[in-house]
Amino acid sequence: MADLASITKQEIDLVSRFVALLKKECEALKQAEVSPLADLAVEKAQLIEQLNAFEKMRAALLGVTDSQNVGTAMTLWLEKNPGQAGVGANWKKLMDLAREAKALNNLNSSLVSMHLNQTSELLSALTQQPQKQALYGSNGQASQLTGSRIVDSA
């Protein structure tokens, strides 16, 4: 069975690759390039599966039960094992990368929402029926606003 130092080192590699994918995704979203997004999503899903497997290995080494938080257990383990500086450094780097990934993921989510809103607005503009507030209809004739025309009130 692997030790915590090697597991956290491999997790650092995986999260670093995940951050790189999130950056690629961010650039694609900023440029409104849709074509690479599907491949990036597949790659991200694969990395997430691998990260979950490593977290389970780390949990097993720490003796974490299902009801415990693995991150908390890791912090407690590091407090009890101050001589494991390498593991501690790996854990700090892993947490820094996780925070960066979270920030990038939030940014990408905002960019996706922005694109969805723009698309929705464009679709609405393209498919909307003539508005009732219009003074003139699509046939060029004056339309009625409330049952009376502007000239009727003069």
Side-chain angles (χ1 to χ4, degrees), residues 15 18-19 22 96-109:
V15 176
F18 192 76
V19 166
L22 288 170
D96 290 344
L97 285 167
R99 280 188 285 280
E100 182 180 2
K102 182 178 181 178
L104 283 167
N105 192 56
N106 288 340
L107 173 60
N108 290 352
S109 176

CSV table of all heavy atoms in Angstrom, one decimal, residues 15 18-19 22 96-109:
chain,number,residue,atom,x,y,z
A,15,VAL,N,-4.3,17.3,-9.6
A,15,VAL,CA,-5.0,18.6,-9.4
A,15,VAL,C,-4.3,19.6,-10.3
A,15,VAL,O,-5.0,20.5,-10.8
A,15,VAL,CB,-5.1,19.0,-7.9
A,15,VAL,CG1,-5.7,20.4,-7.8
A,15,VAL,CG2,-5.9,18.0,-7.1
A,18,PHE,N,-5.7,19.2,-13.5
A,18,PHE,CA,-7.1,19.6,-13.5
A,18,PHE,C,-7.1,21.2,-13.6
A,18,PHE,O,-8.0,21.7,-14.4
A,18,PHE,CB,-7.8,19.2,-12.2
A,18,PHE,CG,-9.3,19.4,-12.2
A,18,PHE,CD1,-10.1,18.5,-12.9
A,18,PHE,CD2,-9.8,20.4,-11.4
A,18,PHE,CE1,-11.5,18.7,-12.9
A,18,PHE,CE2,-11.2,20.6,-11.4
A,18,PHE,CZ,-12.0,19.7,-12.1
A,19,VAL,N,-6.3,21.9,-12.9
A,19,VAL,CA,-6.2,23.3,-13.0
A,19,VAL,C,-5.8,23.7,-14.4
A,19,VAL,O,-6.4,24.7,-15.0
A,19,VAL,CB,-5.2,23.9,-12.0
A,19,VAL,CG1,-4.8,25.3,-12.3
A,19,VAL,CG2,-5.7,23.7,-10.6
A,22,LEU,N,-8.9,23.5,-16.5
A,22,LEU,CA,-9.8,24.6,-16.2
A,22,LEU,C,-9.4,25.9,-16.8
A,22,LEU,O,-10.2,26.7,-17.3
A,22,LEU,CB,-9.9,24.8,-14.6
A,22,LEU,CG,-10.7,23.7,-13.9
A,22,LEU,CD1,-10.5,23.9,-12.4
A,22,LEU,CD2,-12.2,23.7,-14.3
A,96,ASP,N,-3.7,24.5,-1.7
A,96,ASP,CA,-3.5,25.7,-2.5
A,96,ASP,C,-4.0,25.5,-4.0
A,96,ASP,O,-4.8,26.3,-4.5
A,96,ASP,CB,-2.1,26.2,-2.6
A,96,ASP,CG,-1.6,26.7,-1.2
A,96,ASP,OD1,-2.4,27.0,-0.4
A,96,ASP,OD2,-0.3,26.8,-1.1
A,97,LEU,N,-3.7,24.3,-4.5
A,97,LEU,CA,-4.1,24.0,-5.9
A,97,LEU,C,-5.7,23.8,-5.9
A,97,LEU,O,-6.3,24.2,-6.8
A,97,LEU,CB,-3.4,22.7,-6.4
A,97,LEU,CG,-2.0,22.9,-6.8
A,97,LEU,CD1,-1.3,21.5,-7.0
A,97,LEU,CD2,-2.0,23.7,-8.1
A,98,ALA,N,-6.2,23.2,-4.8
A,98,ALA,CA,-7.6,23.0,-4.7
A,98,ALA,C,-8.4,24.3,-4.7
A,98,ALA,O,-9.4,24.5,-5.3
A,98,ALA,CB,-8.0,22.1,-3.5
A,99,ARG,N,-7.8,25.3,-4.0
A,99,ARG,CA,-8.4,26.6,-3.9
A,99,ARG,C,-8.4,27.3,-5.3
A,99,ARG,O,-9.3,27.9,-5.7
A,99,ARG,CB,-7.8,27.5,-2.9
A,99,ARG,CG,-8.2,27.2,-1.4
A,99,ARG,CD,-7.7,28.2,-0.4
A,99,ARG,NE,-6.3,28.0,-0.1
A,99,ARG,CZ,-5.8,27.0,0.7
A,99,ARG,NH1,-6.7,26.3,1.4
A,99,ARG,NH2,-4.5,26.9,1.0
A,100,GLU,N,-7.3,27.1,-6.0
A,100,GLU,CA,-7.1,27.7,-7.3
A,100,GLU,C,-8.1,27.0,-8.3
A,100,GLU,O,-8.8,27.7,-9.1
A,100,GLU,CB,-5.7,27.5,-7.9
A,100,GLU,CG,-5.5,28.1,-9.2
A,100,GLU,CD,-4.1,27.9,-9.8
A,100,GLU,OE1,-3.2,27.3,-9.1
A,100,GLU,OE2,-3.8,28.4,-10.9
A,101,ALA,N,-8.3,25.7,-8.2
A,101,ALA,CA,-9.2,25.0,-9.0
A,101,ALA,C,-10.7,25.5,-8.7
A,101,ALA,O,-11.5,25.7,-9.7
A,101,ALA,CB,-9.1,23.5,-8.8
A,102,LYS,N,-11.0,25.7,-7.5
A,102,LYS,CA,-12.3,26.1,-7.1
A,102,LYS,C,-12.6,27.5,-7.7
A,102,LYS,O,-13.7,27.8,-8.2
A,102,LYS,CB,-12.5,26.2,-5.6
A,102,LYS,CG,-13.8,26.6,-5.1
A,102,LYS,CD,-14.0,26.5,-3.6
A,102,LYS,CE,-15.4,26.9,-3.2
A,102,LYS,NZ,-15.6,26.8,-1.7
A,103,ALA,N,-11.6,28.4,-7.6
A,103,ALA,CA,-11.8,29.8,-8.1
A,103,ALA,C,-12.0,29.7,-9.6
A,103,ALA,O,-12.8,30.4,-10.2
A,103,ALA,CB,-10.6,30.7,-7.7
A,104,LEU,N,-11.2,28.9,-10.3
A,104,LEU,CA,-11.3,28.8,-11.8
A,104,LEU,C,-12.6,28.2,-12.1
A,104,LEU,O,-13.3,28.6,-13.1
A,104,LEU,CB,-10.2,28.0,-12.3
A,104,LEU,CG,-8.8,28.7,-12.5
A,104,LEU,CD1,-7.7,27.6,-12.7
A,104,LEU,CD2,-8.9,29.7,-13.6
A,105,ASN,N,-13.1,27.2,-11.4
A,105,ASN,CA,-14.4,26.6,-11.7
A,105,ASN,C,-15.5,27.6,-11.5
A,105,ASN,O,-16.4,27.6,-12.3
A,105,ASN,CB,-14.6,25.4,-10.8
A,105,ASN,CG,-15.7,24.5,-11.2
A,105,ASN,OD1,-15.8,24.1,-12.4
A,105,ASN,ND2,-16.7,24.3,-10.3
A,106,ASN,N,-15.4,28.4,-10.4
A,106,ASN,CA,-16.4,29.4,-10.2
A,106,ASN,C,-16.4,30.5,-11.4
A,106,ASN,O,-17.5,30.9,-11.8
A,106,ASN,CB,-16.2,30.1,-8.9
A,106,ASN,CG,-16.6,29.3,-7.7
A,106,ASN,OD1,-17.3,28.3,-7.8
A,106,ASN,ND2,-16.0,29.6,-6.6
A,107,LEU,N,-15.2,30.9,-11.8
A,107,LEU,CA,-15.1,31.8,-12.9
A,107,LEU,C,-15.7,31.2,-14.2
A,107,LEU,O,-16.5,31.8,-14.9
A,107,LEU,CB,-13.7,32.2,-13.2
A,107,LEU,CG,-13.4,33.0,-14.4
A,107,LEU,CD1,-14.1,34.3,-14.4
A,107,LEU,CD2,-11.9,33.2,-14.6
A,108,ASN,N,-15.4,29.9,-14.5
A,108,ASN,CA,-15.9,29.2,-15.6
A,108,ASN,C,-17.5,29.1,-15.6
A,108,ASN,O,-18.2,29.3,-16.6
A,108,ASN,CB,-15.3,27.9,-15.8
A,108,ASN,CG,-13.8,28.0,-16.2
A,108,ASN,OD1,-13.3,29.1,-16.5
A,108,ASN,ND2,-13.1,26.9,-16.2
A,109,SER,N,-18.0,28.8,-14.4
A,109,SER,CA,-19.4,28.8,-14.2
A,109,SER,C,-20.1,30.1,-14.5
A,109,SER,O,-21.1,30.2,-15.1
A,109,SER,CB,-19.7,28.4,-12.7
A,109,SER,OG,-21.1,28.4,-12.5
